[in-house]
Amino acid sequence: MAIEVNLEKYGHKKKGFLGFSWTAFFFNFFVPLFRLDFIGFLIFISPYLIIAVMVSFILITGVNDENTILVSSVISLILKLISRLVLPFFYNKMYTKKLLRQGYLPPEDDDYSNALLKGNRYLEYTNKELLDKEKMERYRLIIEEYENERKKDNTTIIIVFSLIALLVVLFFFMASF
């Protein structure tokens, strides 16, 4: 589960996210679409557009060569895997950094969001914060809790991907008979 951080700009509030994007894993390009993130949407949808162009090219040219169809199938599979399995690891970081570049910042009194963004090097610590030992201790505890949660999440990701791989192997094994 991704960790939410509060961000605001001129009173307008948005949520930033840290960690693996389970929503992007399951719902793919709909996530940036619902977050109104046009660039993220283009990144997620581009593998499917490339596949559509390849298939259209093969259909229009009437290529019936086995090698061409095999190569296009392998390329399609690789692009789909990138979109489904690789992008969820990076999307939340990409989205949150985009919000920070746009000027959204965590509220001053939100130690949780500040600690996570500064502890993960999205933002820099201020000199005032570095001198405040109490605040730095609170930040340290929040970051430790976050890292423990990430370890649990990483274990879940490994289990889910292992189960998917096992199901694929079983499917191909059963299909070979």
Side-chain angles (χ1 to χ4, degrees), residues 160-176:
V160 167
F161 284 150
S162 298
L163 287 173
I164 290 171
L166 180 65
L167 289 173
V168 168
V169 169
L170 283 173
F171 174 77
F172 282 115
F173 178 73
M174 297 301 283
S176 66

Side-chain angles (χ1 to χ4, degrees), residues 68-125:
T68 305
I69 293 172
L70 179 65
V71 168
S72 67
S73 297
V74 169
I75 291 172
S76 296
L77 178 65
I78 290 169
L79 289 172
K80 285 179 185 177
L81 286 175
I82 288 171
S83 178
R84 283 297 208 178
L85 302 178
V86 176
L87 289 177
F89 281 98
F90 301 103
Y91 179 64
N92 281 338
K93 183 175 189 173
M94 202 171 61
Y95 177 71
T96 301
K97 283 190 172 188
K98 181 189 125 192
L99 290 177
L100 292 170
R101 278 192 309 273
Q102 290 176 347
Y104 285 90
L105 294 172
E108 289 289 325
D109 60 341
D110 187 355
D111 282 348
Y112 184 77
S113 296
N114 277 299
L116 291 179
L117 290 171
K118 292 175 181 179
N120 287 298
R121 296 189 179 108
Y122 286 74
L123 297 172
E124 296 293 323
Y125 289 104

Side-chain angles (χ1 to χ4, degrees), residues 111-112 115-116 138-147:
D111 282 348
Y112 184 77
L116 291 179
R138 284 194 310 265
Y139 281 8
R140 186 186 65 74
L141 293 173
I142 291 169
I143 292 167
E144 280 180 9
E145 181 183 324
Y146 167 78
E147 288 172 353

Side-chain angles (χ1 to χ4, degrees), residues 13 55 68 125 132 151:
K13 296 179 181 187
V55 169
T68 305
Y125 289 104
D132 188 349
K151 287 177 187 174

